[in-house]
Coordinates of all heavy atoms in Angstrom, one line a residue:
M1 N 0.8 -1.2 0.0 CA 0.0 0.0 0.0 C 0.9 1.3 0.0 O 0.6 2.2 -0.7 CB -0.9 0.0 1.2 CG -1.9 1.0 1.2 SD -3.1 0.8 -0.2 CE -4.5 1.6 0.4
K2 N 2.0 1.2 0.8 CA 2.9 2.4 0.9 C 3.5 2.6 -0.5 O 3.6 3.8 -0.9 CB 3.9 2.1 1.9 CG 4.8 3.3 2.3 CD 5.7 2.9 3.4 CE 6.3 4.1 4.0 NZ 7.2 3.7 5.1
L3 N 3.9 1.6 -1.2 CA 4.5 1.7 -2.5 C 3.5 2.4 -3.5 O 3.9 3.2 -4.3 CB 5.0 0.4 -3.1 CG 5.6 0.4 -4.4 CD1 6.9 1.3 -4.5 CD2 6.0 -0.9 -4.9
R4 N 2.3 1.9 -3.4 CA 1.3 2.5 -4.3 C 1.1 4.0 -4.1 O 1.0 4.8 -5.0 CB -0.1 1.8 -4.1 CG -0.1 0.5 -4.8 CD -1.5 -0.1 -4.6 NE -1.5 -1.5 -5.2 CZ -2.5 -2.3 -5.1 NH1 -3.6 -1.9 -4.4 NH2 -2.5 -3.5 -5.6
S5 N 1.2 4.4 -2.9 CA 1.0 5.9 -2.5 C 2.3 6.6 -3.1 O 2.1 7.7 -3.6 CB 1.0 6.1 -1.0 OG -0.1 5.5 -0.5
I6 N 3.5 6.1 -3.0 CA 4.7 6.7 -3.5 C 4.6 6.8 -5.0 O 4.9 7.9 -5.6 CB 5.9 5.9 -3.1 CG1 6.1 6.0 -1.6 CG2 7.1 6.4 -3.8 CD1 7.2 5.1 -1.0
L7 N 4.1 5.7 -5.7 CA 4.0 5.7 -7.1 C 3.0 6.8 -7.5 O 3.2 7.5 -8.6 CB 3.6 4.3 -7.6 CG 4.8 3.3 -7.5 CD1 4.2 1.9 -7.9 CD2 5.9 3.7 -8.4
L8 N 1.9 6.9 -6.8 CA 0.9 7.9 -7.2 C 1.4 9.3 -7.1 O 1.2 10.1 -8.0 CB -0.3 7.7 -6.3 CG -1.5 8.6 -6.5 CD1 -2.1 8.4 -7.9 CD2 -2.6 8.4 -5.5
I9 N 2.2 9.5 -6.0 CA 2.8 10.9 -5.9 C 3.8 11.1 -6.9 O 3.8 12.2 -7.5 CB 3.4 11.0 -4.5 CG1 2.3 11.0 -3.4 CG2 4.3 12.2 -4.4 CD1 2.9 10.8 -2.0
V10 N 4.6 10.2 -7.3 CA 5.6 10.3 -8.3 C 4.9 10.7 -9.7 O 5.3 11.6 -10.4 CB 6.5 9.1 -8.4 CG1 7.4 9.2 -9.7 CG2 7.4 9.0 -7.2
W11 N 3.9 9.9 -10.0 CA 3.2 10.1 -11.3 C 2.4 11.4 -11.3 O 2.4 12.1 -12.3 CB 2.3 9.0 -11.6 CG 3.1 7.8 -12.1 CD1 3.3 6.6 -11.6 CD2 3.8 7.8 -13.4 NE1 4.1 5.9 -12.3 CE2 4.5 6.5 -13.4 CE3 4.1 8.7 -14.4 CZ2 5.3 6.2 -14.5 CZ3 4.9 8.3 -15.5 CH2 5.5 7.1 -15.5
A12 N 1.9 11.9 -10.1 CA 1.3 13.2 -10.1 C 2.3 14.3 -10.3 O 2.0 15.3 -11.0 CB 0.6 13.3 -8.7
L13 N 3.5 14.1 -9.7 CA 4.5 15.1 -9.9 C 5.0 15.1 -11.4 O 5.2 16.2 -12.0 CB 5.7 14.8 -9.1 CG 5.6 15.1 -7.6 CD1 6.8 14.6 -6.8 CD2 5.5 16.6 -7.4
F14 N 5.0 14.0 -12.0 CA 5.4 13.8 -13.4 C 4.3 14.6 -14.3 O 4.7 15.4 -15.2 CB 5.4 12.4 -13.8 CG 5.6 12.2 -15.3 CD1 6.9 12.4 -15.9 CD2 4.6 11.8 -16.1 CE1 7.0 12.2 -17.2 CE2 4.7 11.6 -17.4 CZ 6.0 11.8 -18.1
A15 N 3.1 14.4 -14.0 CA 2.0 15.1 -14.8 C 2.1 16.6 -14.6 O 2.0 17.3 -15.6 CB 0.7 14.5 -14.4
L16 N 2.3 17.0 -13.4 CA 2.4 18.5 -13.1 C 3.6 19.1 -13.8 O 3.5 20.1 -14.5 CB 2.5 18.7 -11.6 CG 2.6 20.2 -11.1 CD1 1.4 20.9 -11.6 CD2 2.9 20.2 -9.7
I17 N 4.8 18.4 -13.7 CA 6.0 19.0 -14.2 C 5.9 19.0 -15.8 O 6.3 19.9 -16.5 CB 7.2 18.2 -13.7 CG1 7.5 18.6 -12.3 CG2 8.5 18.6 -14.5 CD1 8.5 17.7 -11.6
S18 N 5.5 17.9 -16.3 CA 5.4 17.8 -17.8 C 4.4 18.8 -18.4 O 4.6 19.4 -19.5 CB 5.0 16.4 -18.2 OG 3.7 16.1 -17.9
H19 N 3.4 19.1 -17.6 CA 2.4 20.1 -18.1 C 3.0 21.5 -18.0 O 2.8 22.4 -18.9 CB 1.1 20.1 -17.2 CG 0.1 21.1 -17.6 ND1 -0.6 21.1 -18.8 CD2 -0.3 22.2 -17.0 CE1 -1.4 22.1 -18.9 NE2 -1.2 22.8 -17.8
T20 N 3.8 21.8 -16.9 CA 4.4 23.1 -16.7 C 5.6 23.3 -17.6 O 5.8 24.4 -18.2 CB 4.9 23.2 -15.2 OG1 3.7 23.0 -14.4 CG2 5.4 24.6 -14.9
Y21 N 6.5 22.3 -17.7 CA 7.8 22.5 -18.4 C 7.9 21.8 -19.8 O 9.0 21.9 -20.4 CB 8.9 22.0 -17.5 CG 9.1 22.8 -16.3 CD1 8.6 22.3 -15.1 CD2 9.6 24.1 -16.3 CE1 8.7 23.0 -13.9 CE2 9.7 24.8 -15.1 CZ 9.3 24.3 -14.0 OH 9.4 25.0 -12.8
G22 N 6.8 21.2 -20.3 CA 6.9 20.6 -21.5 C 7.4 19.1 -21.3 O 7.3 18.5 -20.3
E23 N 7.9 18.6 -22.4 CA 8.3 17.2 -22.4 C 9.5 16.9 -21.5 O 10.5 17.7 -21.5 CB 8.7 16.7 -23.8 CG 8.9 15.2 -23.9 CD 9.0 14.8 -25.3 OE1 8.4 15.4 -26.2 OE2 9.7 13.8 -25.5
I24 N 9.5 15.8 -20.7 CA 10.6 15.4 -19.8 C 11.3 14.3 -20.5 O 10.7 13.3 -21.0 CB 10.0 15.0 -18.5 CG1 9.4 16.2 -17.8 CG2 11.1 14.5 -17.6 CD1 8.7 15.9 -16.5
R25 N 12.6 14.3 -20.5 CA 13.5 13.3 -21.0 C 14.0 12.5 -19.8 O 14.4 13.0 -18.8 CB 14.7 13.9 -21.8 CG 14.2 14.5 -23.1 CD 15.4 14.9 -24.0 NE 16.6 14.1 -23.8 CZ 17.8 14.5 -23.5 NH1 18.1 15.8 -23.3 NH2 18.8 13.7 -23.4
F26 N 14.0 11.1 -20.1 CA 14.6 10.2 -19.1 C 15.9 9.6 -19.6 O 16.0 9.4 -20.8 CB 13.6 9.1 -18.8 CG 12.4 9.6 -18.0 CD1 11.3 10.1 -18.6 CD2 12.5 9.4 -16.6 CE1 10.2 10.5 -17.9 CE2 11.3 9.9 -15.9 CZ 10.2 10.4 -16.5
C27 N 16.8 9.5 -18.7 CA 18.2 8.9 -19.0 C 18.4 7.7 -18.0 O 18.0 7.8 -16.9 CB 19.3 9.9 -18.8 SG 19.1 11.3 -19.9
P28 N 19.1 6.7 -18.5 CA 19.5 5.6 -17.6 C 20.5 6.1 -16.5 O 21.4 6.9 -16.9 CB 20.0 4.5 -18.5 CG 20.5 5.2 -19.7 CD 19.6 6.4 -19.8
K29 N 20.4 5.6 -15.3 CA 21.4 5.9 -14.2 C 21.6 4.6 -13.5 O 20.7 3.9 -13.2 CB 20.9 7.0 -13.3 CG 21.8 7.4 -12.2 CD 21.5 8.7 -11.6 CE 22.5 9.1 -10.5 NZ 23.7 9.5 -11.0
E30 N 22.9 4.4 -13.1 CA 23.2 3.2 -12.4 C 23.8 3.6 -11.0 O 24.4 4.6 -10.9 CB 24.3 2.4 -13.1 CG 23.8 1.8 -14.4 CD 24.9 1.0 -15.1 OE1 26.1 1.2 -14.8 OE2 24.6 0.3 -16.0
M31 N 23.6 2.7 -10.0 CA 24.2 2.8 -8.7 C 24.6 1.4 -8.3 O 23.9 0.5 -8.5 CB 23.1 3.3 -7.7 CG 22.8 4.7 -7.8 SD 21.7 5.1 -6.4 CE 21.1 6.7 -6.9
T32 N 25.8 1.3 -7.7 CA 26.3 0.1 -7.2 C 26.1 0.2 -5.6 O 26.6 1.1 -5.0 CB 27.8 -0.1 -7.5 OG1 27.9 -0.1 -9.0 CG2 28.3 -1.4 -7.0
L33 N 25.4 -0.8 -5.1 CA 25.1 -0.7 -3.7 C 25.6 -2.0 -3.0 O 25.8 -3.1 -3.7 CB 23.6 -0.6 -3.5 CG 22.9 0.6 -4.2 CD1 21.4 0.5 -4.3 CD2 23.3 1.9 -3.6
D34 N 25.7 -2.0 -1.7 CA 26.1 -3.2 -1.0 C 25.0 -4.2 -0.9 O 23.8 -3.9 -1.0 CB 26.5 -2.8 0.5 CG 27.8 -2.0 0.6 OD1 28.6 -2.2 -0.3 OD2 27.9 -1.2 1.5
G35 N 25.4 -5.5 -0.7 CA 24.4 -6.5 -0.6 C 23.9 -7.1 -1.9 O 24.3 -6.7 -3.0
S36 N 22.9 -8.0 -1.8 CA 22.3 -8.6 -3.0 C 20.9 -8.1 -3.1 O 20.3 -7.5 -2.3 CB 22.4 -10.1 -2.8 OG 21.6 -10.5 -1.7
C37 N 20.4 -8.3 -4.4 CA 19.0 -7.9 -4.7 C 18.0 -8.8 -3.8 O 18.1 -10.0 -3.8 CB 18.7 -8.2 -6.1 SG 19.8 -7.3 -7.3
P38 N 17.1 -8.1 -3.2 CA 16.1 -8.9 -2.4 C 15.2 -9.7 -3.3 O 14.9 -9.3 -4.4 CB 15.2 -7.8 -1.8 CG 16.0 -6.5 -1.8 CD 16.9 -6.6 -3.0
L39 N 14.9 -10.9 -2.9 CA 14.2 -11.9 -3.7 C 12.8 -11.4 -3.9 O 12.1 -10.8 -3.0 CB 14.1 -13.2 -3.0 CG 15.4 -14.0 -2.9 CD1 15.3 -15.3 -2.1 CD2 16.0 -14.3 -4.3
G40 N 12.3 -11.5 -5.1 CA 10.9 -11.2 -5.5 C 10.6 -9.7 -5.6 O 9.4 -9.4 -5.6
T41 N 11.5 -8.9 -5.6 CA 11.2 -7.4 -5.7 C 11.2 -6.9 -7.0 O 10.6 -5.8 -7.3 CB 12.2 -6.6 -4.8 OG1 13.5 -6.8 -5.3 CG2 12.1 -7.0 -3.3
S42 N 11.9 -7.5 -8.0 CA 11.9 -7.1 -9.4 C 12.1 -5.6 -9.6 O 11.4 -4.9 -10.3 CB 10.7 -7.6 -10.2 OG 9.5 -6.9 -9.7
G43 N 13.2 -5.1 -8.9 CA 13.5 -3.7 -9.1 C 12.9 -2.7 -8.1 O 13.3 -1.6 -8.1
Q44 N 12.0 -3.2 -7.3 CA 11.3 -2.3 -6.3 C 12.4 -1.8 -5.3 O 12.3 -0.6 -4.9 CB 10.2 -3.1 -5.5 CG 9.6 -2.3 -4.5 CD 8.5 -3.0 -3.8 OE1 8.2 -4.2 -4.0 NE2 7.9 -2.4 -2.8
S45 N 13.3 -2.6 -4.8 CA 14.3 -2.1 -3.9 C 15.2 -1.0 -4.6 O 15.5 0.0 -3.9 CB 15.2 -3.3 -3.4 OG 16.0 -3.8 -4.5
C46 N 15.5 -1.1 -5.8 CA 16.3 -0.1 -6.5 C 15.4 1.2 -6.7 O 16.0 2.3 -6.5 CB 16.7 -0.6 -7.9 SG 17.9 -1.9 -7.8
F47 N 14.2 1.0 -7.0 CA 13.2 2.2 -7.1 C 13.3 3.0 -5.8 O 13.5 4.2 -5.8 CB 11.9 1.7 -7.4 CG 10.8 2.8 -7.3 CD1 10.6 3.7 -8.3 CD2 10.0 2.9 -6.1 CE1 9.7 4.7 -8.3 CE2 9.0 3.9 -6.1 CZ 8.9 4.8 -7.1
L48 N 13.2 2.3 -4.7 CA 13.2 3.0 -3.4 C 14.5 3.6 -3.0 O 14.6 4.7 -2.4 CB 12.8 2.0 -2.3 CG 11.3 1.5 -2.4 CD1 11.1 0.4 -1.3 CD2 10.3 2.6 -2.3
E49 N 15.7 2.9 -3.4 CA 17.0 3.5 -3.2 C 17.2 4.8 -4.0 O 17.7 5.8 -3.5 CB 18.1 2.6 -3.6 CG 18.3 1.4 -2.7 CD 19.0 1.8 -1.4 OE1 19.6 2.9 -1.4 OE2 19.0 1.0 -0.5
F50 N 16.7 4.8 -5.3 CA 16.8 6.0 -6.1 C 15.9 7.1 -5.5 O 16.4 8.3 -5.5 CB 16.3 5.7 -7.5 CG 17.4 5.2 -8.4 CD1 18.0 3.9 -8.2 CD2 18.0 6.0 -9.4 CE1 19.0 3.5 -9.1 CE2 19.0 5.6 -10.2 CZ 19.6 4.3 -10.1
L51 N 14.7 6.8 -5.1 CA 13.9 7.8 -4.4 C 14.6 8.4 -3.2 O 14.6 9.6 -3.0 CB 12.5 7.2 -4.0 CG 11.4 7.2 -5.0 CD1 10.2 6.6 -4.4 CD2 11.1 8.5 -5.6
D52 N 15.2 7.5 -2.4 CA 15.8 8.0 -1.1 C 17.0 8.9 -1.4 O 17.2 9.9 -0.8 CB 16.2 6.8 -0.3 CG 16.8 7.1 1.0 OD1 16.2 8.0 1.7 OD2 17.9 6.6 1.3
R53 N 17.8 8.5 -2.4 CA 19.1 9.2 -2.7 C 18.9 10.4 -3.6 O 19.6 11.4 -3.5 CB 20.1 8.3 -3.3 CG 20.6 7.2 -2.3 CD 21.4 6.2 -3.0 NE 21.7 5.1 -2.0 CZ 22.9 4.7 -1.7 NH1 24.0 5.2 -2.3 NH2 23.1 3.7 -0.8
L54 N 18.0 10.3 -4.6 CA 17.8 11.4 -5.6 C 16.6 12.3 -5.4 O 16.5 13.3 -5.9 CB 17.8 10.8 -7.0 CG 19.0 10.0 -7.4 CD1 18.8 9.4 -8.8 CD2 20.3 10.8 -7.3
G55 N 15.6 11.8 -4.6 CA 14.4 12.5 -4.4 C 13.3 12.2 -5.4 O 13.6 11.6 -6.5
A56 N 12.1 12.6 -5.1 CA 11.0 12.3 -6.0 C 11.1 13.0 -7.4 O 10.6 12.6 -8.4 CB 9.7 12.7 -5.3
S57 N 11.8 14.1 -7.4 CA 12.0 14.9 -8.7 C 12.7 14.1 -9.7 O 12.6 14.3 -10.9 CB 12.7 16.2 -8.5 OG 14.0 16.0 -8.0
A58 N 13.5 13.1 -9.3 CA 14.2 12.2 -10.3 C 13.2 11.3 -11.0 O 13.5 10.8 -12.1 CB 15.2 11.3 -9.6
M59 N 12.1 11.0 -10.4 CA 11.0 10.2 -11.0 C 11.5 8.9 -11.6 O 11.3 8.6 -12.7 CB 10.2 11.0 -12.1 CG 9.4 12.1 -11.6 SD 8.4 12.9 -12.7 CE 9.5 13.9 -13.7
P60 N 12.2 8.1 -10.8 CA 12.8 6.8 -11.2 C 11.6 5.9 -11.8 O 10.5 5.8 -11.2 CB 13.4 6.2 -10.0 CG 12.8 6.8 -8.8 CD 12.4 8.2 -9.3
M61 N 12.0 5.2 -12.9 CA 11.1 4.2 -13.4 C 11.9 3.1 -14.1 O 13.0 3.3 -14.4 CB 10.1 4.9 -14.4 CG 10.7 5.6 -15.5 SD 9.7 6.2 -16.8 CE 8.4 7.1 -16.0
N62 N 11.2 2.0 -14.4 CA 11.8 0.9 -15.1 C 13.1 0.5 -14.4 O 14.1 0.3 -15.1 CB 12.1 1.2 -16.6 CG 10.8 1.6 -17.3 OD1 9.7 1.0 -17.1 ND2 10.9 2.5 -18.2
C63 N 13.0 0.3 -13.1 CA 14.2 -0.1 -12.4 C 14.5 -1.6 -12.4 O 13.6 -2.4 -12.5 CB 14.0 0.3 -10.9 SG 13.8 2.1 -10.7
S64 N 15.8 -1.9 -12.4 CA 16.1 -3.4 -12.3 C 17.3 -3.5 -11.3 O 18.0 -2.6 -11.1 CB 16.5 -3.9 -13.7 OG 17.7 -3.2 -14.1
C65 N 17.5 -4.7 -10.9 CA 18.5 -5.1 -10.0 C 19.3 -6.3 -10.4 O 18.6 -7.3 -10.8 CB 17.9 -5.3 -8.6 SG 19.1 -5.5 -7.2
K66 N 20.6 -6.2 -10.4 CA 21.4 -7.3 -10.8 C 22.5 -7.6 -9.8 O 23.2 -6.6 -9.3 CB 22.1 -7.2 -12.2 CG 21.1 -7.1 -13.3 CD 21.8 -6.9 -14.7 CE 20.7 -6.9 -15.8 NZ 21.3 -6.6 -17.0
D67 N 22.7 -8.8 -9.4 CA 23.7 -9.2 -8.4 C 25.1 -9.4 -8.9 O 25.2 -9.9 -10.0 CB 23.3 -10.5 -7.7 CG 22.1 -10.4 -6.7 OD1 22.1 -9.3 -6.0 OD2 21.3 -11.2 -6.6
D68 N 26.1 -9.0 -8.2 CA 27.4 -9.3 -8.4 C 27.9 -10.0 -7.2 O 28.5 -9.4 -6.3 CB 28.3 -8.1 -8.7 CG 29.7 -8.4 -9.1 OD1 30.1 -9.6 -8.9 OD2 30.5 -7.5 -9.4
R69 N 27.6 -11.3 -7.1 CA 27.9 -12.1 -5.9 C 29.3 -12.2 -5.5 O 29.6 -12.4 -4.4 CB 27.3 -13.5 -6.1 CG 25.8 -13.4 -6.2 CD 25.1 -14.9 -6.2 NE 23.7 -14.8 -6.5 CZ 22.7 -14.5 -5.7 NH1 23.0 -14.1 -4.5 NH2 21.5 -14.5 -6.2
T70 N 30.2 -12.0 -6.5 CA 31.6 -12.1 -6.2 C 32.1 -11.0 -5.3 O 33.1 -11.1 -4.6 CB 32.5 -12.1 -7.5 OG1 32.3 -10.9 -8.2 CG2 32.2 -13.3 -8.4
K71 N 31.4 -9.8 -5.4 CA 31.8 -8.7 -4.6 C 30.7 -8.3 -3.5 O 30.9 -7.3 -2.8 CB 32.0 -7.5 -5.5 CG 33.1 -7.7 -6.5 CD 33.2 -6.5 -7.4 CE 34.2 -6.7 -8.5 NZ 34.2 -5.6 -9.4
N72 N 29.7 -9.2 -3.4 CA 28.6 -8.9 -2.5 C 28.0 -7.5 -2.7 O 27.8 -6.7 -1.9 CB 28.9 -9.1 -1.0 CG 27.7 -9.1 -0.2 OD1 26.7 -9.5 -0.6 ND2 27.9 -8.6 1.1
K73 N 27.8 -7.2 -4.0 CA 27.2 -5.9 -4.4 C 26.0 -6.1 -5.3 O 25.9 -7.3 -5.8 CB 28.3 -5.1 -5.2 CG 29.5 -4.7 -4.5 CD 29.4 -3.6 -3.6 CE 30.7 -3.2 -2.9 NZ 30.5 -2.1 -2.0
R74 N 25.3 -5.1 -5.6 CA 24.2 -5.2 -6.5 C 24.2 -3.9 -7.4 O 24.6 -2.8 -6.9 CB 22.8 -5.4 -5.8 CG 22.4 -4.2 -5.0 CD 21.0 -4.6 -4.3 NE 20.5 -3.4 -3.7 CZ 20.7 -3.0 -2.4 NH1 21.5 -3.7 -1.7 NH2 20.1 -2.0 -2.0
L75 N 23.8 -4.1 -8.7 CA 23.8 -3.0 -9.6 C 22.3 -2.6 -9.8 O 21.6 -3.4 -10.3 CB 24.5 -3.3 -10.9 CG 24.4 -2.2 -12.0 CD1 25.3 -1.1 -11.6 CD2 24.9 -2.8 -13.3
C76 N 22.0 -1.4 -9.4 CA 20.7 -0.9 -9.6 C 20.7 0.0 -10.8 O 21.5 0.9 -10.9 CB 20.2 -0.1 -8.4 SG 19.7 -1.1 -7.0
T77 N 19.7 -0.2 -11.7 CA 19.6 0.7 -12.9 C 18.1 1.2 -13.0 O 17.2 0.4 -12.9 CB 19.9 0.0 -14.2 OG1 21.2 -0.6 -14.0 CG2 19.9 0.9 -15.4
C78 N 18.0 2.5 -13.1 CA 16.6 3.1 -13.3 C 16.7 4.1 -14.4 O 17.8 4.8 -14.5 CB 16.1 3.7 -12.0 SG 15.7 2.6 -10.7
N79 N 15.6 4.5 -15.0 CA 15.5 5.6 -15.9 C 15.1 6.8 -14.9 O 14.1 6.6 -14.2 CB 14.5 5.4 -17.0 CG 15.0 4.4 -18.0 OD1 16.3 4.3 -18.2 ND2 14.2 3.7 -18.6
V80 N 15.8 7.9 -15.0 CA 15.5 9.1 -14.2 C 15.4 10.3 -15.1 O 15.9 10.3 -16.2 CB 16.5 9.3 -13.1 CG1 16.5 8.1 -12.1 CG2 17.9 9.5 -13.6
V81 N 14.9 11.4 -14.6 CA 14.8 12.6 -15.3 C 16.2 13.1 -15.6 O 17.1 13.2 -14.7 CB 14.0 13.7 -14.5 CG1 14.1 15.1 -15.2 CG2 12.6 13.3 -14.3
C82 N 16.5 13.4 -16.9 CA 17.8 13.8 -17.3 C 18.1 15.2 -16.7 O 17.3 16.1 -16.7 CB 17.9 13.9 -18.8 SG 17.6 12.3 -19.7
R83 N 19.3 15.3 -16.3 CA 19.8 16.7 -15.8 C 20.5 17.3 -16.9 O 21.3 16.7 -17.6 CB 20.7 16.5 -14.5 CG 20.0 15.7 -13.4 CD 19.0 16.6 -12.7 NE 18.5 15.8 -11.6 CZ 17.3 15.9 -11.2 NH1 16.5 16.8 -11.8 NH2 16.8 15.3 -10.2
T84 N 20.3 18.6 -17.0 CA 20.9 19.4 -18.1 C 22.3 19.9 -17.7 O 22.6 19.9 -16.6 CB 20.1 20.6 -18.6 OG1 19.8 21.4 -17.5 CG2 18.8 20.1 -19.3

């Protein structure tokens, strides 16, 4: 339920910003984080990490998580609002 509320807020911000400033471009962004990808989250953990670190204005979407078990790290990739 909490994730749905966050997603609703993010999409509302997206609609407001795109109406105000025109078309928004998204660019891929990667972060290497400690630990492994949580089972069954399919990018949700990365989405939340991006929100926490970049804020809602980044509007992360299409997030994915890939493990690098040799280093006990995970690679999070999300599309975020491009910075000029």
Side-chain angles (χ1 to χ4, degrees):
M1 189 66 158
K2 191 175 192 179
L3 179 62
R4 285 185 181 169
S5 297
I6 291 170
L7 289 174
L8 180 62
I9 291 169
V10 169
W11 283 111
L13 285 171
F14 173 75
L16 179 65
I17 290 171
S18 65
H19 179 70
T20 304
Y21 296 104
E23 188 172 330
I24 295 175
R25 290 188 29 236
F26 287 87
C27 298
K29 182 163 179 72
E30 294 180 344
M31 286 186 195
T32 302
L33 305 167
D34 291 331
S36 59
C37 300
L39 293 175
T41 61
S42 67
Q44 179 182 356
S45 65
C46 290
F47 171 80
L48 295 174
E49 285 284 349
F50 272 72
L51 274 181
D52 185 50
R53 293 172 185 232
L54 302 177
S57 64
M59 294 188 279
M61 59 172 49
N62 301 324
C63 298
S64 65
C65 187
K66 293 184 182 175
D67 285 322
D68 183 353
R69 296 190 191 279
T70 61
K71 299 178 183 174
N72 193 31
K73 301 277 185 185
R74 68 185 189 267
L75 177 66
C76 283
T77 306
C78 292
N79 291 329
V80 298
V81 174
C82 298
R83 302 285 181 214
T84 56

